[in-house]
Amino acid sequence: MNIIDIINKKRNNLELSREELEFAFNGYSNKTVEDYQMSSLLMAICIRGMSDREIFDLVDIFIKSGETLDLSGIEGVKVDKHSTGGVGDKTTLVIAPILASLGIKVAKMSGRGLGHTGGTIDKLEAIPNFKVNLTKDEFLKELEDIGMVVSSQTDSLVPLDKVIYALRDVTATVESIPLIAVSIMSKKIASGADKILIDIKVGKGALIKNRNDANVLKDLMIRIGSFYGKEVKCLISNMDMPLGFCVGNALEVAEAIAILDGKVKNNLYNLCIEIAMNMVSMANSISLMEARKKVVGAIESGEAYKKFMEFISYQNGDINNMLISNNKMEIKSLKSGVIKSIDALKVGEVSLHLGSGRVKKDDKIDYGVGVFLNKTVGDRVAVNDTLCTLYYNKVKDDFGIIEAFEIE
Ligand code: URA
């Protein structure tokens, strides 16, 4: 067997055998297959797609590249969630405490930001001293003690995804439905939860640009889940505009707290309620209406907020000393009218350039910078009204963010 024949076969739209997939992907891990060869194979997969059989084999190869987490020793139903990535998406910070306050165990391994999309682990690191790297034992103990845990993915869990994802990120092969499904489902299955909710983002600021592709991805992930005996539910949610009012790490943590404290009811609040009620309904086998009542009740009673604070202190975080930059730049409207849209991709890119994300793998994040949307879609604005506020430190530039606002 050799890698050139395998690339050729996929380029010619032929199905690869399990042995060929193992040869290529395990070879890449073992460094017997080069970056440029794997890049070429990934591009061929991107263009030609994969059969269900190839996808199922690749999920299995990914899972077997590392360890899996066994949560069976922990009592109760364990649930997990995943988002395909967006701008301003801090749903995990809101949903996990809601569920844990309702007695449903949430075991979550999260990732860092990629490109213009943010990652939960970067957001949590905006909280001084917050510990994101937990050992397996620490992870399980926290789940047992307080009913929830969010940590960064350990190196031993699906290590193949780490190296393949990094390569996809720089070879324009991120947006392949089979590769997205393999990446997400291998991690979710290896993480050990019984029930999994996946929020598929569609729109300008998302990896998936249209509903048709989202539906294909949804059906595929459900089929993979059921093969492994996991209940998988997918929601499809819009990512044309940012989620919530805040983009940038500390700003997003502050917004998650405001939602849990019942002080903000925006598109983020609505999506959190929707995801949480679906997870509660799956976990407790109750109707969506009953689940919704419980979820809203957890916020109104203050129990979800309390659970969030318990979680932050359990992982050593010092929430009272989280810093949001004092340097602010207000962006004023040049015309009057109604806001028709706010481009999530543009807002995400501006926040990234202010320093909230990484352009290169080793860049240091500035946790206190980002974008606050003073106005949202549907709002009427007059000339000189503040559309958004940029929080900056080292980089003082508006990066043309006004173009993100479509006003008619
Ligand atoms: N999220 C993942 O974990 N993997 C992908 O490929 C895309 C989104």
Side-chain angles (χ1 to χ4, degrees):
M1 212 178 283
N2 83 67
I3 186 66
I4 300 169
D5 289 345
I6 294 173
I7 299 169
N8 253 323
K9 201 168 164 188
K10 184 41 83 181
R11 193 201 59 201
N12 293 338
N13 211 12
L14 298 169
E15 195 179 48
L16 299 180
S17 67
R18 167 139 192 151
E19 290 69 33
E20 286 165 330
L21 288 167
E22 276 172 351
F23 182 90
F25 283 86
N26 291 338
Y28 185 61
S29 287
N30 305 333
K31 303 201 177 352
T32 52
V33 168
E34 301 287 343
D35 269 351
Y36 51 85
Q37 293 170 321
M38 182 47 78
S39 305
S40 178
L41 179 60
L42 291 172
M43 186 55 83
I45 290 175
C46 240
I47 295 167
R48 294 302 193 183
M50 292 179 110
S51 68
D52 264 20
R53 205 230 78 240
E54 287 175 304
I55 293 171
F56 279 55
D57 277 339
L58 196 54
V59 170
D60 198 51
I61 293 167
F62 267 49
I63 294 172
K64 292 192 172 131
S65 72
E67 288 177 18
T68 53
L69 204 60
D70 182 4
L71 302 179
S72 61
I74 296 187
E75 222 180 289
V77 180
K78 277 76 61 181
V79 295
D80 194 359
K81 72 164 277 283
H82 193 87
S83 152
T84 57
V87 177
D89 187 347
K90 65 288 275 176
T91 49
T92 292
L93 302 182
V94 178
I95 290 160
I98 293 176
L99 266 73
S101 75
L102 294 170
I104 299 164
K105 304 237 162 75
V106 186
K108 175 100 182 84
M109 290 203 184
S110 287
R112 296 188 181 278
L114 261 171
H116 68 279
T117 66
T120 303
I121 290 303
D122 293 333
K123 297 176 217 262
L124 286 168
E125 279 187 340
I127 304 167
N129 298 333
F130 188 92
K131 191 172 165 190
V132 296
N133 295 314
L134 303 178
T135 63
K136 210 173 186 176
D137 288 347
E138 286 170 335
F139 186 90
L140 295 175
K141 180 162 182 351
E142 183 171 351
L143 186 60
E144 187 98 74
D145 286 352
I146 66 166
M148 70 170 283
V149 54
V150 183
S151 82
S152 109
Q153 196 181 307
T154 59
D155 287 340
S156 56
L157 202 99
V158 200
L160 193 46
D161 181 61
K162 254 196 189 137
V163 286
I164 295 293
Y165 200 100
L167 190 62
R168 284 169 60 209
D169 194 31
V170 291
T171 53
T173 53
V174 171
E175 289 160 25
S176 148
I177 291 176
L179 294 177
I180 294 174
V182 168
S183 164
I184 294 177
M185 291 311 294
S186 59
K187 285 179 292 201
K188 294 294 105 181
I189 289 156
S191 302
D194 310 303
K195 307 200 176 205
I196 302 157
L197 190 293
I198 299 176
D199 177 23
I200 303 176
K201 301 271 179 229
V202 187
K204 282 189 194 142
L207 294 180
I208 315 285
K209 305 291 185 224
N210 64 68
R211 286 235 152 210
N212 195 29
D213 285 353
N215 278 320
V216 173
L217 179 61
K218 171 181 162 177
D219 292 345
L220 181 53
M221 292 198 289
I222 291 172
R223 286 203 300 282
I224 297 171
S226 96
F227 180 78
Y228 285 91
K230 309 276 182 191
E231 187 182 339
V232 174
K233 192 163 184 183
C234 297
L235 299 179
I236 298 178
S237 67
N238 183 278
M239 191 27 81
D240 284 329
M241 64 179 280
L243 200 47
F245 300 144
C246 297
V247 179
N249 301 290
L251 282 164
E252 292 193 41
V253 173
E255 186 174 24
I257 295 172
I259 299 260
L260 286 166
D261 207 10
K263 292 197 175 118
V264 172
K265 301 229 160 92
N266 53 9
N267 64 345
L268 170 67
Y269 171 87
N270 292 336
L271 182 62
C272 288
I273 300 288
E274 198 189 343
I275 296 177
M277 72 192 222
N278 273 282
M279 291 175 80
V280 171
S281 156
M282 276 205 282
N284 289 355
S285 304
I286 56 174
S287 73
L288 283 172
M289 282 314 284
E290 275 177 89
R292 186 185 165 86
K293 267 194 213 140
K294 282 177 178 265
V295 167
V296 172
I299 294 183
E300 285 174 358
S301 66
E303 288 303 314
Y305 176 88
K306 255 180 24 207
K307 183 56 77 179
F308 177 86
M309 292 302 167
E310 188 184 4
F311 152 68
I312 297 299
S313 359
Y314 197 103
Q315 284 180 233
N316 241 4
D318 179 5
I319 197 74
N320 297 322
N321 283 311
M322 185 176 72
L323 289 181
I324 293 172
S325 175
N326 286 323
N327 304 315
K328 295 183 212 173
M329 195 195 310
E330 292 192 352
I331 307 298
K332 307 283 186 185
S333 181
L334 302 176
K335 58 198 255 198
S336 63
V338 173
I339 301 183
K340 288 273 170 235
S341 64
I342 304 176
D343 186 330
L345 179 59
K346 179 80 190 168
V347 175
E349 284 173 348
V350 172
S351 181
L352 173 72
H353 293 312
L354 288 169
S356 72
R358 298 175 192 83
V359 178
K360 287 186 261 93
K361 224 171 66 198
D362 301 326
D363 283 350
K364 286 252 171 302
I365 285 190
D366 191 340
Y367 294 103
V369 302
V371 181
F372 176 79
L373 300 175
N374 297 75
K375 300 284 181 202
T376 189
V377 172
D379 285 354
R380 180 166 286 284
V381 291
V383 174
N384 241 3
D385 277 357
T386 303
L387 295 174
C388 66
T389 306
L390 305 189
Y391 288 77
Y392 65 93
N393 269 325
K394 286 189 212 116
V395 190
K396 186 180 180 187
D397 193 327
D398 67 15
F399 295 103
I401 195 164
I402 197 148
E403 288 161 22
F405 293 83
E406 188 195 353
I407 301 170
E408 267 178 14

